[in-house]
Amino acid sequence: MDHEHVREVDPAVADALENEVDRQRSTLQMIASENHVSPAVLDAQGSALTNKYAEGYPGSRYYGGCEYADEVEELAIERATELFGAEHVNVQPHSGTQANQAVYFAMLEPGDRILSLDLTHGGHLSHGHPANFTGQLYEVEQYEVDPETGYIDYEGLSDLAEEFDPDIVVSGYSAYPREIDWERIQAAADDVDAYHLADIAHITGLVAAGVHDSPVGIADFVTGSTHKTIRAGRGGIVMCDEEYADDVDSAVFPGGQGGPLMHNVAGKAVGFKEALEPEFEEYAHQVVANAKALGESLSENGFSLVSDGTDNHLVLVDLRESHPDTSGGDAEEALEEAGIVLNANTVPGETRSAFDPSGIRAGTPALTTRGFDEADCREVGDLITRVIDAPEDEAVLAEVREEVDRLCEENPLYE
Ligand code: DSN
């Protein structure tokens, strides 16, 4: 990965690109929403399809010369359909947020009501945060996790739905470590005659591999990201029943987007093909086994985990009990110095701020891609502990950095 063409034209950018590859190779990427896509997906994303405008959909475009764009988009749709079993798939959203935007734009009017999980309890900005367009265009009420268990408070959600009478209930989360009971949320939405949007952005790969229950066929709309656990080209996807297909397609284009990013659609097609291989199911199982091993290691070392563990690809650590004087930001910074990259995260019942919250979120999708197993992830749990126990001790950070180097060498990336 020497970016030779970029180097000829622009050495400054070539340096930054090469440094980024080195950074990914030599540190542990544990941001739960990140992964390392395959060289094939990278190749597709860097292809000449970046030049092509293809407003519209396969067979019905507003520009000429779209025959190969059509082929690629049809392949992406075909493979997504095989992976998820949805009646209708739109692979054009530029991101998970824009996939959500398409559903809101298709089904809601400004001022309509969204019921979603609070951001500090694991929700997402695009589910109704005041700083997001959703919080400004729609009326929003939020459910929470049970403060005792850390699991979604399904009863509270149903009660709020009765009280608030939403037009849409949003499920699917970005910092929630447990299985989601889609049927139960669907029932709560049905009871108040609301739509149900299940945003599987984080767990798209786990759902595709059958490692997490699928909301497809239960929720009215399923949105996702295509570059997180599923490790395909960067962007989003919307799935729905045929009855909503035209509304969703029009909401994506021309409603919310112009020309689709066809190079990314190509990356999606290639990544979906990879996800149909049996190895991907093994990968997804390993992601979860690794997150469990990481969580067990951290628990044994005295950390408090939201919901006491995990069923998926991430663990959410609440530092307040074990390390009351260390914020999530302090931990993130010290860990990065030691070569472990993750993010500070709010936790349920947050008492600090969104900018410097009380928790850290750690995911295993990227580590698993480069070959980490449960023993490696237990060791990573010990390394994280050593750093957070002594975040200002340069000697400890240097020792951990050496262990990180060894783990990276044992599990090479982009050779
Ligand atoms: N930025 C993603 C995450 O980290 O969860 C969500 O958009």
Side-chain angles (χ1 to χ4, degrees), residues 31-34 97 124 174-175 201-202 225 228 234 343 345 361:
I31 292 176
S33 48
E34 293 184 354
T97 289
H124 189 256
S174 31
H202 266 252
S225 304
K228 294 181 176 135
R234 187 152 192 137
N343 66 287
N345 214 93
R361 186 187 66 164

Side-chain angles (χ1 to χ4, degrees), residues 174-196:
S174 31
Y176 182 67
R178 292 297 179 179
E179 277 272 352
I180 301 162
D181 189 341
W182 308 115
E183 299 269 10
R184 204 152 167 200
I185 299 174
Q186 184 63 41
D190 284 344
D191 282 349
V192 295
D193 208 16
Y195 296 114
H196 175 196

Side-chain angles (χ1 to χ4, degrees), residues 332-365:
E332 178 190 306
E333 207 178 302
L335 285 163
E336 184 162 1
E337 202 177 325
I340 300 173
V341 184
L342 45 66
N343 66 287
N345 214 93
T346 51
V347 291
E350 183 56 65
T351 42
R352 288 180 183 263
S353 74
F355 295 106
D356 192 16
S358 305
I360 52 171
R361 186 187 66 164
T364 53

Side-chain angles (χ1 to χ4, degrees), residues 54-347:
E55 279 94 331
Y57 290 99
S60 172
R61 305 279 190 186
Y62 287 82
Y63 291 94
C66 286
E67 60 268 44
Y68 303 113
D70 280 5
E71 271 179 33
V72 162
E73 186 165 342
E74 274 162 3
L75 284 167
I77 291 170
E78 215 174 89
R79 290 167 185 166
T81 304
E82 202 177 333
L83 281 168
F84 297 103
E87 282 181 17
H88 180 71
V89 179
N90 186 308
V91 293
Q92 291 190 7
H94 301 334
S95 71
T97 289
Q98 283 184 283
N100 290 339
Q101 174 192 297
V103 173
Y104 302 136
F105 190 57
M107 308 317 295
L108 305 181
E109 298 296 330
D112 277 357
R113 295 174 171 196
I114 296 177
L115 177 63
S116 58
L117 185 69
D118 185 284
L119 184 69
T120 62
H121 287 238
H124 189 256
L125 287 169
S126 67
H127 295 178
H129 192 273
N132 185 264
F133 75 94
T134 46
Q136 299 185 14
L137 278 185
Y138 305 109
E139 201 183 325
V140 179
E141 182 61 76
Q142 303 216 283
Y143 57 95
E144 298 188 341
V145 298
D146 181 315
E148 295 304 316
T149 64
Y151 283 66
I152 296 292
D153 175 5
Y154 292 100
E155 252 172 55
L157 185 164
S158 297
D159 292 348
L160 259 183
E162 294 287 346
E163 249 171 62
F164 181 59
D165 194 20
D167 297 286
I168 195 163
V169 177
V170 181
S171 64
Y173 316 109
S174 31
Y176 182 67
R178 292 297 179 179
E179 277 272 352
I180 301 162
D181 189 341
W182 308 115
E183 299 269 10
R184 204 152 167 200
I185 299 174
Q186 184 63 41
D190 284 344
D191 282 349
V192 295
D193 208 16
Y195 296 114
H196 175 196
L197 160 60
D199 175 353
I200 60 169
H202 266 252
I203 54 171
T204 308
L206 306 185
V207 169
V211 172
H212 188 295
D213 281 346
S214 174
V216 173
I218 299 170
D220 302 293
F221 304 93
V222 178
T223 55
S225 304
T226 49
H227 51 279
K228 294 181 176 135
T229 44
I230 198 162
R231 224 170 39 180
R234 187 152 192 137
I237 185 171
V238 185
M239 296 177 269
C240 60
D241 285 349
E242 209 49 58
E243 64 174 309
Y244 303 121
D246 288 346
D247 289 334
V248 162
D249 286 353
S250 307
V252 173
F253 171 80
Q257 296 187 172
L261 307 178
M262 289 311 304
H263 54 307
N264 282 1
V265 173
K268 292 174 192 180
V270 173
F272 294 161
K273 181 167 195 291
E274 292 172 342
L276 282 162
E277 298 298 324
E279 293 77 30
F280 187 80
E281 198 179 318
E282 283 169 32
Y283 162 74
H285 277 284
Q286 192 64 50
V287 167
V288 175
N290 283 351
K292 283 184 191 296
L294 174 70
E296 282 161 15
S297 160
L298 291 169
S299 288
E300 285 160 18
N301 292 343
F303 285 96
S304 162
L305 304 189
V306 173
S307 84
D308 279 335
T310 183
D311 298 327
N312 60 26
H313 62 302
L314 67 84
V315 294
L316 187 58
V317 181
D318 186 338
L319 295 169
R320 287 175 297 187
E321 241 177 68
S322 60
H323 297 78
D325 299 327
T326 306
S327 70
D330 298 334
E332 178 190 306
E333 207 178 302
L335 285 163
E336 184 162 1
E337 202 177 325
I340 300 173
V341 184
L342 45 66
N343 66 287
N345 214 93
T346 51
V347 291

